[in-house]
Amino acid sequence: MMSAAAGGTRPTGTCRVCEGTVVEFLDLGRQPLSDRFLSEPDLAGEFFFHLSVGVCEACTMVQLMEEVPREKMFHEDYPYYSSGSSVMQKHFAHTARRFLETELTGPDPFMVEIGSNDGVLLRTIHEAGVRHLGFEPSGKVADVARAGGLRVRGDFFEESTAVEVRAAEGPADVIYAANTICHIPYLKSVFQGVDALLAPDGVFVFEDPYLGDILEKTSFDQIYDEHFFFFTARSVQAMAGRFGFELVDVERLPVHGGEVRYTIARAGARRPAGSVARLIAEEEDRRVASPERLGRFAADVNGIRDDLLALLRRLKAEGKRVVAYGATAKSATVTNFCGIGPELVSWVCDTTPTKQGRLTPGAHIPVRPAEAFSASAADYALLFAWNHADEIMAKEQEFRRAGGRWILYVPRVHVES
Ligand code: SAM
Ligand code: TMP
Ligand code: ZN
């Protein structure tokens, strides 16, 4: 469908939450699976889809226009291991301890995590002797958690699987998800599952990249196949209400470039904290989901592409050695949207063994181990893992001392001096 609603004729779709009309505001073109790292024989059959993002005129939910089948993204070889960052390990240990001190103090409490990955959060719950269950459909990451003694079910969380767990194990006091709810287009089924599994006074808590921060930082690389939704307090409040729940607390988090943790309870079960109304008022002031603001974001994204390409081409012409740091899922959007391949960035280093020796999705930049970086004597390093900048720059101080310079493209293209 096409619409003339938001200035000019734009493609439209149907909102996955409220069935209102979604109007596209940014087209990022033909994109690969962001976490599919390739060997030479895989190149011929590489999967591509059309990555574009729109806003629902009715409920303001920002979402992708096209859905990638979940089994193509989350499978046996899904390569993202949450424990790869020490900052994130601390974040999740702290989060788990807070749940242990607040929501999990009754007799025989039960915590369920959606997208438990390698067990980075549940391990603290397990060590405290609290009953837990992870839902993790990606095979190898789930096996890491199981090897650590955690209980993990290898299924997607949705209504049918949640109903089974409720019948077998009773109600959950906490259902938690980090960087996972925004990955799930079928949220109605997820809320039906939460309804089936959550105790009457339990909480459903999830944290995901915050649209307010994405706009502020022009971090368009948060948009890729796995990130289907871009939440605000307002859109989450509307969604919760629609499914019989209520948004009762929000907390801004510094991780992954800026996130919000949303706490949801059954409608009327808990009194909403003042933080909810405050954040919604701030979003209104900033006109976060307005067509004008989103249109400005789209224009800024095109500006970043032009500036980044111009910089990399100039450095190449000057004969500089340019590499990249962190083969992130986010970098698939940057490289494929901007047209950056190995001719501009020779290789990218990453600590994840299953990414090493492979080629990045779509752009086919070789991935090398982190040790290659210290040995490289590169002149410039494009920091794809900019959300881990403090951690990475702290351990790579030698690069700077030897004259190396970091290139960042968030919130604008610049070379760190
Ligand atoms: N929670 C971890 C973190 O914050 O680092 C992992 C986040 S990872 C980006 C998203 C995880 O969600 C993947 O491990 C994926 O397999 C899992 N996932 C995707 N859809 C899911 C679903 N419907 N139910 C449970 N897990 C899901
Ligand atoms: P993320 O931004 O989605 O968390 O992905 C970060 C990627 O960067 C992941 O592939 C691991 C990698 N990485 C490093 O190579 N070195 C590091 O120090 C950190 C923190 C991450
Ligand atoms: Zn909607």
Side-chain angles (χ1 to χ4, degrees):
M1 273 199 299
M2 303 291 273
S3 152
T9 305
R10 296 178 183 281
T12 58
T14 303
C15 176
R16 292 300 303 258
V17 174
C18 81
E19 293 173 21
T21 300
V22 177
V23 182
E24 181 185 295
F25 62 84
L26 175 63
D27 184 349
L28 292 162
R30 185 174 175 264
Q31 293 279 348
L33 298 169
S34 62
D35 262 322
R36 175 94 167 93
F37 290 80
L38 309 132
S39 320
E40 289 288 336
D42 304 326
L43 291 176
E46 190 169 13
F47 175 88
F48 287 91
F49 75 108
H50 189 148
L51 180 65
S52 61
V53 57
V55 59
C56 175
E57 290 179 327
C59 76
T60 75
M61 185 65 83
V62 170
Q63 56 200 280
L64 297 192
M65 306 297 292
E66 184 179 329
E67 174 181 349
V68 172
R70 63 188 188 178
E71 289 79 9
K72 284 202 179 294
M73 299 183 284
F74 310 117
H75 45 67
E76 187 60 19
D77 294 318
Y78 180 67
Y80 183 74
Y81 289 77
S82 306
S83 298
S85 155
S86 59
V87 170
M88 292 312 296
Q89 285 189 31
K90 285 195 201 97
H91 170 77
F92 288 123
H94 177 254
T95 303
R97 282 198 297 272
R98 243 173 65 181
F99 281 128
L100 289 169
E101 288 159 11
T102 54
E103 304 291 338
L104 299 171
T105 55
D108 189 24
F110 180 35
M111 173 158 181
V112 170
E113 185 179 4
I114 307 174
S116 50
N117 200 271
D118 60 9
V120 68
L121 178 124
L122 284 183
R123 93 173 54 111
T124 304
I125 303 292
H126 174 56
E127 281 161 14
V130 166
R131 206 152 56 87
H132 66 272
L133 181 68
F135 274 83
E136 181 45 74
S138 295
K140 287 193 177 130
V141 295
D143 283 343
V144 171
R146 290 190 191 102
L150 303 183
R151 290 186 62 233
V152 181
R153 203 182 147 114
D155 294 313
F156 289 95
F157 184 95
E158 56 197 328
E159 187 183 13
S160 59
T161 51
V163 164
E164 283 176 26
V165 170
R166 173 66 175 81
E169 315 211 19
D173 301 287
V174 175
I175 301 178
Y176 172 76
N179 306 300
T180 300
I181 296 304
C182 76
H183 293 52
I184 306 182
Y186 44 99
L187 281 185
K188 183 174 179 190
S189 177
V190 167
F191 271 91
Q192 286 166 336
V194 171
D195 190 27
L197 182 55
L198 194 68
D201 58 348
V203 282
F204 173 33
V205 180
F206 58 91
E207 58 196 63
D208 285 294
Y210 178 50
L211 181 65
D213 286 308
I214 294 173
L215 298 180
E216 190 80 23
K217 297 191 165 80
T218 322
S219 47
F220 68 103
D221 55 351
Q222 293 282 11
I223 305 166
Y224 53 91
D225 54 351
E226 295 172 19
H227 284 181
F228 190 86
F229 289 112
F230 304 89
F231 299 132
T232 60
R234 178 174 169 195
S235 65
V236 169
Q237 186 186 54
M239 171 169 70
R242 188 174 183 82
F243 297 131
F245 290 83
E246 193 172 3
L247 179 61
V248 296
D249 201 3
V250 289
E251 183 185 355
R252 292 188 76 160
L253 305 170
V255 296
H256 286 311
E259 301 205 327
V260 169
R261 177 178 291 158
Y262 306 92
T263 300
I264 284 169
R266 293 185 187 279
R270 295 195 186 201
R271 196 216 290 231
S275 57
V276 175
R278 277 198 300 277
L279 188 55
I280 290 177
E282 190 185 314
E283 289 169 358
E284 292 291 318
D285 275 359
R286 292 173 56 197
R287 305 199 24 83
V288 163
S290 67
E292 304 74 43
R293 180 66 190 93
L294 297 172
R296 189 146 50 84
F297 170 73
D300 291 347
V301 171
N302 287 308
I304 288 183
R305 176 189 52 195
D306 297 346
D307 291 350
L308 186 56
L309 265 182
L311 173 65
L312 294 175
R313 285 182 180 145
R314 176 169 67 75
L315 294 176
K316 185 183 165 71
E318 290 171 3
K320 304 290 190 211
R321 283 160 301 183
V322 182
V323 302
Y325 204 107
T328 58
K330 292 186 287 298
S331 67
T333 296
V334 179
T335 54
N336 289 284
F337 177 63
C338 301
I340 298 168
E343 70 292 345
L344 291 177
V345 170
S346 313
W347 44 266
V348 52
C349 74
D350 195 285
T351 49
T352 315
T354 51
K355 294 183 182 180
Q356 295 161 3
R358 298 199 169 216
L359 302 169
T360 64
H364 305 162
I365 299 171
V367 185
R368 298 195 179 167
E371 298 71 47
F373 186 69
S374 25
S376 72
D379 299 305
Y380 290 84
L382 178 57
L383 187 56
F384 284 140
W386 56 265
N387 46 314
H388 301 292
D390 292 347
E391 181 172 352
I392 290 170
M393 288 184 187
K395 72 178 167 193
E396 301 292 0
Q397 291 179 28
E398 189 48 39
F399 170 63
R400 228 163 157 170
R401 267 200 291 275
R405 314 275 298 274
W406 294 101
I407 301 172
L408 287 109
Y409 48 86
V410 168
R412 60 195 152 68
V413 176
H414 62 288
V415 176
E416 287 268 293
S417 48

